[in-house]
Amino acid sequence: MSLPAVIGLAWAGAAVAMAAGWLWQRRRANAGIVDVIWAAGVGGSALLYALLVDAAAWPRATLALLGGLWGLRLAWHLWLRVRNEDEDGRYRHLRTHWQGHQGAFFLFFQAQALLVVVFSLPFLAVARNPVDGFTGWWLAAVAVWLASVAGEGIADRQLARFRADPANRGRTCRAGLWRYSRHPNYFFEWTHWFTYVLLAVGSPIAWLAWAGPLVMYAFLRWISGVPYTEAQALRTRGEDYRHYQRTTPMLIPWFPRDAVPDDPLQTVTADSPDSPDASRKDPE
């Protein structure tokens, strides 16, 4: 099957799934399902391209396994949140902004179907790779995938534990990886996309694999990731989150900075939940 036909099939499947998701959110007033469908759609596109694009078997099998497992893990994690929690604050904000207009939500869902295609482009580069068998690039790709997916999974679990404790309502998670980055889940999600850059080495369209980390960084840093998440955090956590912003790196993990001298939250006691020695359960 030609590449345009395969891409068109991926888009059609995503568009139908997003239309079903729009109907689901209309009945339940929870637009968080769009994230579940996006993750499943991108992961599903890895399987689709591995099956339908004609090139070496080894990179296609690797793509199906790594891309499929990544999408399955992320979609399941997001589904548990959608199923068990109220609508995410970002989508409640959109619902208020659009005054519940379902036409706006439908267009939003269909825009996410297009983004499924955009984020599937690195998979095409891998699927077209004629280099078969084990290589140093393949081993490096698997190492990056393992580290990134494990890191994102750890960050997600730490955040889920924190959110599950009612005592943490209105407060900011600073436990585990969240001590070193305000968005460690986003960081590992971003580094995960370098997997396909490495797997695509030798492909005639290897350059296309760079769409993954470049586009993902742009979305996380400036469009739909950090800006929306932090705006919601400031609305719900106020000064606690401002303190977190002043002391903790935004994306790339590093050691936290000292609080500024006039910071009203800089002093904590050993018994305070904000103390480094305090026992915490782990979101944002």
Side-chain angles (χ1 to χ4, degrees):
M1 184 177 289
S2 68
L3 293 187
V6 174
I7 293 172
L9 186 59
W11 168 78
V16 171
M18 287 295 179
W22 172 76
L23 290 173
W24 188 94
Q25 72 79 31
R26 186 173 184 176
R27 291 193 298 270
R28 294 169 176 80
N30 190 338
I33 193 68
V34 72
D35 296 326
V36 180
I37 298 171
W38 180 87
V42 178
S45 70
L47 301 175
L48 182 71
Y49 296 164
L51 179 65
L52 297 181
V53 175
D54 186 20
W58 189 249
R60 288 192 291 127
T62 304
L63 171 64
L65 179 63
L66 299 189
L69 284 176
W70 163 82
L72 178 63
R73 188 213 72 85
L74 183 57
W76 180 248
H77 167 73
L78 294 170
W79 167 246
L80 291 178
R81 290 184 61 172
V82 170
R83 185 185 67 179
N84 297 322
E85 300 180 12
D86 294 334
E87 186 176 47
D88 187 280
R90 295 170 298 161
Y91 298 126
R92 289 199 304 271
H93 181 69
L94 285 179
R95 196 174 295 278
T96 301
H97 179 69
W98 290 335
Q99 299 179 336
H101 193 284
Q102 287 301 312
F105 269 106
F106 182 81
L107 292 176
F108 173 72
F109 272 66
Q110 289 305 310
Q112 301 305 304
L114 292 175
L115 287 178
V116 167
V117 175
V118 171
F119 281 100
S120 75
L121 295 179
F123 300 155
L124 276 180
V126 177
R128 285 290 308 277
N129 196 345
V131 180
D132 218 344
F134 291 97
T135 66
W137 294 113
W138 184 89
L139 291 172
V142 172
V144 168
W145 188 91
L146 288 172
S148 299
V149 172
E152 187 174 4
I154 290 169
D156 286 340
R157 286 194 295 274
Q158 290 171 342
L159 191 57
R161 287 198 299 270
F162 183 86
R163 292 168 67 99
D165 188 343
N168 292 325
R169 182 174 295 276
R171 306 182 60 221
T172 303
C173 176
R174 293 175 175 85
L177 293 171
W178 299 86
R179 173 175 169 80
Y180 304 100
S181 170
R182 302 201 300 270
H183 307 280
N185 51 347
Y186 288 170
F187 170 75
F188 287 111
E189 173 60 29
W190 171 58
T191 59
H192 149 263
W193 288 94
F194 287 96
T195 298
Y196 311 106
V197 173
L198 296 168
L199 285 176
V201 173
S203 172
I205 53 173
W207 58 270
L208 199 57
W210 282 98
L214 293 177
V215 175
M216 179 56 74
Y217 185 84
F219 269 84
L220 290 178
R221 176 63 182 84
W222 294 297
I223 302 175
S224 61
V226 171
Y228 272 87
T229 300
E230 299 216 333
Q232 175 63 17
L234 289 170
R235 282 192 293 268
T236 57
R237 277 165 267 166
E239 189 58 38
D240 185 47
Y241 198 81
R242 292 187 184 91
H243 174 264
Y244 189 53
Q245 288 178 313
R246 288 190 290 266
T247 59
T248 309
M250 180 186 65
L251 191 65
I252 299 175
W254 193 246
F255 296 101
R257 299 180 292 272
D258 292 333
V260 296
D262 61 346
D263 191 332
L265 298 181
Q266 67 175 323
T267 303
V268 294
T269 66
D271 295 328
S272 168
D274 287 321
S275 168
D277 297 325
S279 174
R280 297 185 66 94
K281 299 180 179 148
D282 284 57
E284 277 181 289

